[in-house]
Amino acid sequence: MSLTDLRTTTEHALGPVEQIPPGEGRAFVAGGVQVAVFRLRDGSLHATQAACPHAGGPLADGQTDVDVLLCPLHLYAYRWSDGASTSGAAPIRLYPVHESDGEVVVEV
Ligand code: FES
């Protein structure tokens, strides 16, 4: 098995980056895992678990800026830098995500 084979077992192409409007998130299933991917207004991508650790809110529908993600249900905030909650909830899990040839690629 080559290094490329190992990498493809964890990377999942999710389609064109344009499907995520700047400043918004979208929910995907990658390798059987529900993830929320955000395209920030600065062009960066972030990915996290789809369900909020507080009470299962849909994080893909949350508001975000370059620093934090707000869950739409109870407005708990999570930092993009490390996934920690600034509101006292359990942290969110962050997944590596990048753009490759115009496609969103997440590692799950
Ligand atoms: S479910 Fe997300 S803050 Fe409550």
Side-chain angles (χ1 to χ4, degrees):
M1 182 179 292
S2 72
L3 188 58
T4 299
D5 293 331
L6 287 173
R7 188 170 54 237
T8 57
T9 59
T10 57
E11 290 190 343
H12 302 274
L14 301 178
V17 70
E18 288 81 16
Q19 69 188 309
I20 309 173
E24 295 188 17
R26 292 290 184 267
F28 298 90
V29 176
V33 177
Q34 294 185 321
V35 297
V37 179
F38 287 81
R39 180 184 179 199
L40 304 190
R41 294 193 185 281
D42 68 358
S44 64
L45 296 171
H46 291 277
T48 183
Q49 63 195 67
C52 178
H54 176 233
L59 289 176
D61 295 336
Q63 300 286 312
T64 188
D65 64 16
V66 296
D67 296 318
V68 297
L69 168 64
L70 290 178
C71 176
L73 280 194
H74 310 104
L75 303 180
Y76 278 36
Y78 301 93
R79 289 194 306 246
W80 284 126
S81 60
D82 60 3
S85 171
T86 62
S87 313
I92 54 173
R93 180 169 182 173
L94 301 176
Y95 296 102
V97 62
H98 66 276
E99 182 179 342
S100 178
D101 296 328
E103 298 250 331
V104 176
V105 178
V106 66
E107 295 176 46
V108 174

